Amino acid sequence: MIKHVIDILDLSVDEIDGLIKCADDIIANPEKYAHKCSGKKLATLFFEPSTRTRLSFEAAMYELGGNVLGFSEAQSSSAAKGESVADTAKTVSCYADIIAMRHPKEGAPMVAAQNASIPVINAGDGGHFHPTQTLADLLTIHREKGRLDNLTVGFCGDLKFGRTVHSLIGALARYSGLKVVLISPEELKLPSYVKNDVLKKGGIEYVQTASLEEHMPELDILYMTRVQRERFFNEEDYLRLKDSYILTPEKLAGAKSDLSIMHPLPRVNEISVEIDKDPRACYFKQVLNGKYIRMALILKLLKEAGTID
Ligand code: NCD
């Protein structure tokens, strides 16, 4: 059976630990991996805008010695003519060895996986999930903190539509000693399918607040997010909520000296650029780690599919 990664829960804790070890080894010994995917092709099917996710997938495949084909907007694919995701997946299976797909509709990469004969990786589906950003986040947390358990993590901003938040909470909930602080305006609270199914069911300690500063001194990690303009039904609501939280040096006054400040990027206004110089800022490390963990994931899926040794 071909393994796909649609939800972060498609990977067991052991598999995630293995990917982190592999990424650490790639960082230490890149030359060992330079030809592992020689002659193999990654297809990047991006029906929604992306900078980091698409380019890091592409850079990952090139650094493994492989090649890349694909499209970066729906308008330049046959989706513009009305082709279904299922048919696109069957077609691309004839040309490539592995697919990374981003789509505005929740569930589209799952449909692709059901129809493809090669591994499919979800590179973000609507306001739902973003498992490979989560892998980048977990690698970053592990490299910064040396552990994934016993962490107090604050998630701030658009917790309703922020798919990176949903996937990261799902992943961290499987490690012990997690405490979660959910910081958002009323309208952008975490959806109940994450709050009930993950936090409540998992017996995870969590609090909800509208204040960024209230729990700052307790946090090991502060995960800032952008208000997801493209998922709003009207512009007025977006304009009212977009600047709900702006992290400035003053707001960090009570924070731990080893706090890790994270953000999946793109940043709009949520983190003042002054914070970039703060040694606690980790968001550009996340960008780089995203490439290494995607290399590890491509290797794993292609090995399991029998495409590479
Ligand atoms: C995120 C996404 O696409 O969900 N970006 C990313 O992949 N790093 C976050 C966002 O767009 O706000």
Side-chain angles (χ1 to χ4, degrees):
M1 236 192 32
I2 294 188
K3 186 167 177 77
H4 307 284
V5 177
I6 304 303
D7 181 345
I8 192 68
L9 300 182
D10 292 333
L11 295 166
S12 67
V13 169
D14 281 353
E15 287 180 303
I16 288 180
D17 292 347
L19 287 171
I20 290 175
K21 275 204 187 81
C22 176
D24 283 334
D25 194 52
I26 293 171
I27 293 169
N29 307 292
E31 66 292 342
K32 231 170 84 183
Y33 296 87
H35 305 289
K36 293 266 187 209
C37 288
S38 140
K40 304 303 168 203
K41 282 169 280 177
L42 163 77
T44 49
L45 313 184
F46 277 61
F47 297 82
E48 248 196 0
S50 169
T51 298
R52 273 151 295 272
T53 305
R54 186 170 63 84
L55 297 188
S56 68
F57 263 114
E58 298 191 355
M61 193 55 165
Y62 286 126
E63 289 195 22
L64 291 167
N67 294 299
V68 176
L69 68 170
F71 51 82
S72 55
E73 48 180 49
Q75 277 318 99
S76 64
S77 79
S78 282
K81 300 180 185 171
E83 184 170 60
S84 67
V85 165
D87 284 0
T88 302
K90 285 182 187 155
T91 302
V92 175
S93 299
C94 300
Y95 303 141
D97 300 288
I98 185 164
I99 292 174
M101 176 189 271
R102 169 170 288 190
H103 202 286
K105 285 219 175 86
E106 289 81 3
M110 165 103 85
V111 172
Q114 286 161 349
N115 288 278
S117 54
I118 57 176
V120 175
I121 303 171
N122 177 7
D125 63 326
H128 207 197
F129 296 136
H130 193 347
T132 62
Q133 179 63 44
T134 295
L135 291 174
D137 299 341
L138 294 174
L139 175 61
T140 306
I141 295 170
H142 196 263
R143 289 180 74 82
E144 292 300 309
K145 297 274 179 272
R147 66 181 195 279
L148 293 173
D149 56 2
N150 296 312
L151 292 168
T152 299
V153 185
F155 290 92
C156 176
D158 188 346
L159 309 188
K160 180 177 181 187
F161 296 116
R163 55 195 175 192
T164 64
V165 170
H166 306 158
S167 288
L168 184 53
I169 289 178
L172 288 173
R174 295 188 291 179
Y175 295 87
S176 58
L178 174 69
K179 288 187 196 152
V180 173
V181 180
L182 300 168
I183 308 155
S184 76
E186 187 60 31
E187 294 93 326
L188 298 178
K189 277 184 166 169
L190 195 70
S192 57
Y193 77 88
V194 185
K195 202 166 65 189
N196 297 337
D197 298 356
V198 182
L199 295 178
K200 283 193 183 153
K201 249 191 210 156
I204 313 257
E205 202 178 315
Y206 73 93
V207 287
Q208 298 192 93
T209 172
S211 158
L212 175 53
E213 290 98 324
E214 190 186 350
H215 292 274
M216 188 68 85
E218 298 153 45
L219 302 182
D220 298 304
I221 290 163
L222 173 59
Y223 195 94
M224 298 295 294
T225 62
R226 160 183 84 90
V227 175
Q228 306 276 302
R229 180 181 205 158
E230 65 276 36
R231 317 240 182 264
F232 274 69
F233 291 112
N234 69 67
E235 185 71 3
E236 252 168 59
D237 286 348
Y238 168 73
L239 293 173
R240 185 168 49 81
L241 293 167
K242 73 181 174 66
D243 290 329
S244 298
Y245 301 101
I246 301 176
L247 187 65
T248 55
E250 299 71 53
K251 297 216 170 99
L252 283 173
K256 286 188 180 171
S257 59
D258 66 346
L259 171 74
S260 297
I261 304 165
M262 300 179 66
H263 191 309
L265 304 180
R267 152 174 65 185
V268 181
N269 232 353
E270 315 76 52
I271 302 182
S272 133
V273 289
E274 289 164 78
I275 307 268
D276 298 2
K277 313 189 279 291
D278 189 307
R280 293 171 291 185
C282 291
Y283 25 97
F284 290 105
K285 292 183 188 169
Q286 282 168 270
V287 174
L288 184 58
N289 288 334
K291 179 183 71 176
Y292 294 120
I293 202 83
R294 288 182 175 100
M295 289 172 78
L297 182 64
I298 291 169
L299 279 176
K300 173 181 167 61
L301 296 182
L302 288 182
K303 259 188 212 153
E304 288 179 15
T307 310
I308 59 170
D309 298 331

